[in-house]
Amino acid sequence: MTLLLNRSDLERLLDPADCLAVLRHGFTAPPAETAPLRVVTGLPEGSATVLVPGLVEGIPAYTVKVNAKFPGSRPALRGVVCLHDLRTGELLALLDSATVTAWRTGLAAALGTDALARRDARTVAVVGAGAQAELVMRGLASLRTIEALTVCDLDPGRAAGFAERHGASLGIPASVAAEPRAAARAAGIVVLATWARRPLLHAADVPPGTHLTSLGADEPGKTELSADLLDGARVVVDDIDLATRMGVLAGAAPAVLRAATTLRDLLCGRAAGRGRDDEITVYAPVGLPWQDLALSWAAYRAAAHAGVGTTVDLLA
């Protein structure tokens, strides 16, 4: 039997603290021998991405995810995560990929943000008030104290709603900025989660000591941070090869490439993170298949315990 878990099921089952723990385990556990594989195909109005497989030590399953991205639609991301038994290949569950992706991307980004930002950085700017930024805020709030929030989005109403929601939940002042530069000006932490294809921030826009998490540079042609900003920053990614082929390191200066490291090495103590309080740091992940497995397995186990979801026999 195969378990179907929709968005409502997943939102009911997933807990940010538990998900942060399984993601941290995935980053610090011995890596799988298989390299992360991502195939991107263009569609007339968007793009389709396949991630296969996802493996994590200690989880007896693997995932295959197929996403379709349509920037002009709401939601912009649609697809499915297939959770399979690692020994037999049995299809254990089908999960809504938009929810899984938002949770694993946002919470993994919160881990990277917390690891690189100054310990006294408590003001956050969000550029792109979508589902991934929502989860970054939820994860980051459980990892450190946040004292102020500024939000910028192409849709002013969405920015205002994001600011009001998180300002109320955290009990902090929250405001809306008209442009990314204004949002970043007074923030110790800047989170970008957009569809931008030209830089939103340049070196002159970012004060010394700022940390930036860029979630939009996950496909060829997408970019949120300028070359001059990256040239002067400490850059951390989730996978060097993927980030070089389709992420923030594509076309980066040789010095940036040589100095870049991964969040895995940072969390395992094999690489240094922030070197000085006035250093600019950047975390720019592409997204890895094992993260889908970590979240999907957690949801599958929770669903089995709680009796949530719908079962179907696809072989009937």
Side-chain angles (χ1 to χ4, degrees), residues 221-294:
K222 294 176 65 179
T223 183
E224 296 175 322
L225 306 178
S226 69
D228 70 326
L229 195 164
L230 294 172
D231 285 348
R234 170 65 164 146
V235 178
V236 177
V237 298
D238 49 1
D239 184 87
I240 297 290
D241 180 60
L242 281 179
T244 302
R245 287 195 287 117
M246 60 182 59
V248 72
L249 297 179
V256 176
L257 283 171
R258 287 194 299 270
T261 190
T262 66
L263 183 57
R264 175 184 293 278
D265 284 343
L266 194 65
L267 294 179
C268 290
R270 294 191 293 264
R274 172 178 293 277
R276 310 180 312 275
D277 279 350
D278 65 349
E279 187 174 29
I280 304 293
T281 54
V282 171
Y283 180 53
V286 174
L288 302 177
W290 68 259
Q291 297 166 354
D292 298 310
L293 173 60

Side-chain angles (χ1 to χ4, degrees), residues 143-161:
L143 294 170
R144 64 167 59 208
T145 300
I146 298 174
E147 295 180 349
L149 171 66
T150 304
V151 186
C152 175
D153 192 274
L154 290 174
D155 181 342
R158 188 161 79 153

Side-chain angles (χ1 to χ4, degrees), residues 29-192:
E33 292 182 2
T34 55
L37 179 61
R38 170 185 280 239
V39 180
V40 180
T41 303
L43 296 173
E45 302 296 332
S47 64
T49 302
V50 179
L51 297 177
V52 53
L55 298 171
V56 176
E57 184 181 74
I59 296 181
Y62 67 94
T63 47
V64 177
K65 180 169 81 172
V66 180
N67 273 339
K69 298 180 181 180
F70 296 90
S73 302
R74 289 291 180 269
L77 192 152
R78 303 165 191 266
V80 64
V81 178
C82 305
L83 178 70
H84 295 264
D85 184 285
L86 186 59
R87 185 178 61 85
T88 67
E90 177 189 355
L91 181 59
L92 302 174
L94 292 170
L95 305 91
D96 172 55
S97 71
T99 306
V100 171
T101 301
W103 277 71
R104 63 86 152 157
T105 302
L107 294 180
L111 287 175
T113 301
D114 185 60
L116 284 163
R118 299 189 325 268
R119 298 322 305 167
D120 64 348
R122 297 185 177 94
T123 57
V124 178
V126 167
V127 180
Q132 292 185 356
E134 288 274 354
L135 269 300
V136 177
M137 285 298 299
R138 291 178 65 178
L140 196 57
S142 72
L143 294 170
R144 64 167 59 208
T145 300
I146 298 174
E147 295 180 349
L149 171 66
T150 304
V151 186
C152 175
D153 192 274
L154 290 174
D155 181 342
R158 188 161 79 153
F162 190 105
E164 180 180 1
R165 199 161 50 250
H166 290 280
S169 67
L170 296 175
I172 60 173
S175 59
V176 173
E179 60 177 2
R181 286 182 299 174
R185 192 171 296 136
I189 295 170
V190 181
V191 177
L192 303 98

